[in-house]
Structure formats: C-alpha cells, structure tokens
C-alpha cells in the first residue's frame, strides 16, 4: 500500500464533493471546516461501519476489499484512470475490472482519423468487441466490403468467418475463446458478452473448445492463416494495443502477407537498447 499517495488522492477527491449535494447540512458554529464531505458522511453514504473510511484514507486498512474501493470510487466520481490509481495505491495491483459498466464503449472521434492513417488492416473495437472504427484496408478484407458489427461474434459464430479464418478450429478458436472468458471475468454484467457466451455454448463447434479452457488473453504478436477477399490466402501478423482512456477497447493492426507460407516463421522479439 502506498499510504501517502492514497491519502492525497482520496482527500483531494473528497474535498470536491459538497455535503449539500447529498442532503447534509454544514455546521454553522465557529471553527474552520475542511471542504467537502467528512469521513463520517462518507461512511453514512456507503452504509459502512463508522470509521471504515477513515481507516482507508489514513492507510490503516490493509488489503481493503475491492467492493469498498469501488463504492468509494463511484461516490467520488473517479474516472477510469483515477480508479486504476486507487487500486494501485490501496492494493498495489490494477483493478479487476472497470469502475463503470459504460467504460470501454466509446473512444475519442480522432481515433477514426488515426486508423484511417494506417496502411495495414486496422480497426478499433470496444470492450464487447463492437466495432468502433476501421480503415479501408479492413473493409476490403471482407467479401462485399461488409465488415461485421461485432468482431468476436463474427469470428466465433459466423460460418463465413470459419472459411476466412483458415484452420479455424486449431489456429483461431482456441486462442479467441479464452479471450471471451477473460473479458467476462472482468465484465460479468456486460450484456453483449453474456449473449455471445450464450450463443457459443449453443454452438456445436465452438462450445467444446470454449469448455476446454485455454490461457490466451490477447493476440499481440500472433501470426495466423487468413483468406483475404481480394488478395487470397496469406498470413496475418497481429499487433494489439489499447486506447488508454477506454479500458477493454483494443486497436488491432493486421500486417497481411499473401502466400501459403508463414511470413515470419520465427520472428524475434524487438529489444530495447
């Protein structure tokens, strides 16, 4: 626990909340009163035992439960970056999931312009794999230039996708389905992810692979066989990144090389220095 940083973050955000906005009245007697909610008022609003919040802010609450941190974060109106800081300061680890269910669903509009400037196949999907932005190279990947609205549902359940994603049952599905499971672990209340899981469990091809488990959580650096609508068979090397203000969203860049042989049989990792 980083007590000093935790105390500074919580004091700063608590001071911004007017007690009157939550139905409290400021005392009218003499004496200086610190701005914002009192620690006692925070306990009342969170329905916690008196002294709970004081222990958290003072750094005397070892390993505070995530549900307490989440309730404090929402009461104080933290954004996702501040939520990450709160968990790092209090628990010395990143949060197990977003602070708000709506997070990860939108990106700044400039991302479309940024994606348009990429020569390789590129797109951005949100935390539920709904398509947010894509470039022309991505659109041209598909027959009829009709990209899917949800990339994960398409990759797992669309029979045309099984044709395009060459060797789907061994080169794609075992690496995709663990990503779905990991996303659900972080966002168990996400309706889109839950619906995709329901459809996967009802699918005779996808269900056995999903139930078998797996440890893949992202495709960064993977090279997989792919049938391009215009360029024919080839190999796509995947580069994955995340818009930092949109937890769970992902920027995918596919470097496509036509041909039946792998473009990079043993691509070495880049080293700093």
């Amino acid at each position: 626990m980083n007590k000093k940083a935790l105390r500074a973050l919580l004091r700063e955000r608590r001071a911004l909340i007017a007690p009157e906005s939550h139905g409290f009245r400021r005392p009218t007697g003499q004496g200086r009163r610190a701005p914002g909610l009192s620690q006692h008022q925070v306990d009342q609003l969170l329905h916690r035992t008196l002294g709970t919040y004081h222990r958290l802010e003072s750094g005397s609450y070892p390993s505070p439960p995530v549900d307490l941190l989440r309730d404090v974060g929402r009461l104080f109106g933290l954004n996702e970056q501040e939520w990450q800081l709160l968990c790092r300061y209090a628990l010395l680890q990143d949060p197990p999931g977003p602070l708000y269910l709506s997070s990860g669903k939108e990106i700044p509009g400039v991302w479309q312009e940024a994606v348009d400037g990429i020569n390789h196949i590129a797109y951005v999907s949100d935390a539920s794999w709904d398509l947010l932005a894509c470039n022309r190279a991505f659109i041209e990947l598909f027959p009829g230039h009709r990209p899917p609205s949800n990339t994960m549902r398409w990759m797992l359940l669309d029979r045309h996708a099984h044709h395009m994603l060459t060797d789907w049952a061994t080169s794609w599905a075992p690496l995709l389905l663990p990503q779905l499971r990991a996303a659900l672990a972080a966002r168990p209340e996400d309706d889109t992810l839950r619906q995709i899981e329901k459809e996967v469990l009802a699918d005779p091809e996808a269900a056995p692979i999903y139930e078998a488990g797996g440890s893949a959580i992202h495709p960064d650096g993977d090279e997989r066989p792919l049938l391009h609508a215009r360029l024919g068979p080839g190999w796509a090397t995947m580069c994955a990144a995340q818009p930092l203000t949109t937890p769970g969203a992902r920027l995918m860049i596919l470097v496509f090389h036509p041909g039946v042989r792998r473009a990079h049989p043993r691509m070495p990792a880049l080293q700093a220095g």
Side-chain angles (χ1 to χ4, degrees), residues 117-197:
I118 298 173
N119 292 328
H120 297 291
I121 300 165
Y123 68 94
V124 180
S125 59
D126 71 9
S128 306
W129 280 280
D130 285 333
L131 189 64
L132 295 178
C134 65
N135 64 2
R136 186 67 187 173
F138 179 75
I139 294 173
E140 291 177 348
L141 176 63
F142 301 91
H145 294 176
R146 292 188 297 272
S149 58
N150 184 286
T151 57
M152 181 58 79
R153 176 181 279 112
W154 178 80
M155 290 187 290
L156 293 178
L157 298 164
D158 190 294
R159 293 298 176 259
H160 294 292
H162 293 191
H163 176 66
M164 286 181 60
L165 307 179
T166 311
D167 193 22
W168 177 86
T170 56
S171 296
W172 290 86
L175 300 172
L176 292 169
L177 287 160
Q179 293 179 55
L180 175 62
R181 191 182 298 277
L184 276 165
R187 295 174 173 267
E189 300 176 0
D190 189 301
D191 291 338
T192 300
L193 296 178
R194 281 293 174 203
Q195 181 59 34
I196 294 174
E197 182 187 50

Side-chain angles (χ1 to χ4, degrees), residues 12-139:
E12 176 185 338
R13 294 313 304 249
R14 180 166 61 87
L16 297 177
I17 304 174
E20 296 86 349
S21 66
H22 289 279
F24 296 109
R25 297 178 61 183
R26 289 182 181 273
T28 56
Q30 294 183 345
R32 180 179 180 274
R33 175 169 176 78
L37 290 170
S38 70
Q39 295 182 352
H40 178 80
Q41 289 167 344
V42 173
D43 283 328
Q44 289 180 275
L45 291 170
L46 298 182
H47 306 288
R48 292 301 204 282
T49 303
L50 296 182
T52 299
Y53 177 76
H54 170 74
R55 292 176 61 205
L56 177 64
E57 186 175 294
S58 65
S60 59
Y61 196 149
S63 301
V66 172
D67 66 324
L68 172 61
L69 298 179
R70 190 181 300 278
D71 288 347
V72 169
R74 289 177 175 172
L75 175 62
F76 289 3
L78 302 187
N79 60 34
E80 293 295 339
Q81 295 177 73
E82 292 166 333
W83 166 237
Q84 186 177 63
L85 287 177
L86 176 59
C87 289
R88 287 182 176 180
Y89 294 159
L91 301 173
L92 300 181
Q93 65 185 42
D94 284 338
L99 182 58
Y100 308 103
L101 187 59
S102 60
S103 297
K105 301 295 185 177
E106 297 179 348
I107 54 172
V110 71
W111 271 96
Q112 179 61 63
E113 184 177 351
V115 169
D116 285 337
I118 298 173
N119 292 328
H120 297 291
I121 300 165
Y123 68 94
V124 180
S125 59
D126 71 9
S128 306
W129 280 280
D130 285 333
L131 189 64
L132 295 178
C134 65
N135 64 2
R136 186 67 187 173
F138 179 75
I139 294 173

